[in-house]
Amino acid sequence: MKDPEVKKKMDQNAFKTEFMGPEASLALVKKKMVEYEIIMKELGRIKK
């Protein structure tokens, strides 16, 4: 995220950019995996 070109592309594609340390990043990924698993089950893409 320190590269201005990367940040520019992310912004252009409606990605929210925010610096997080490694622990916060890992916690976010784990949280999102749980949320996405629920959605995928509801869509029938993975077995319940």
Side-chain angles (χ1 to χ4, degrees):
M1 294 314 310
K2 292 181 180 180
D3 183 331
E5 285 300 312
V6 171
K7 180 158 179 19
K8 180 180 174 183
K9 286 287 186 188
M10 297 291 280
D11 291 343
Q12 288 173 340
N13 289 290
F15 283 93
K16 177 182 174 191
T17 57
E18 179 180 334
F19 177 79
M20 298 179 160
E23 294 86 10
S25 294
L26 181 58
L28 177 63
V29 168
K30 288 181 177 182
K31 177 183 173 205
K32 292 297 180 184
M33 286 178 66
V34 170
E35 293 171 1
Y36 294 150
E37 182 177 0
I38 292 168
I39 293 168
M40 295 299 284
K41 284 179 180 176
E42 289 174 357
L43 293 172
R45 301 304 294 168
I46 57 176
K47 294 181 181 180
K48 295 183 181 183

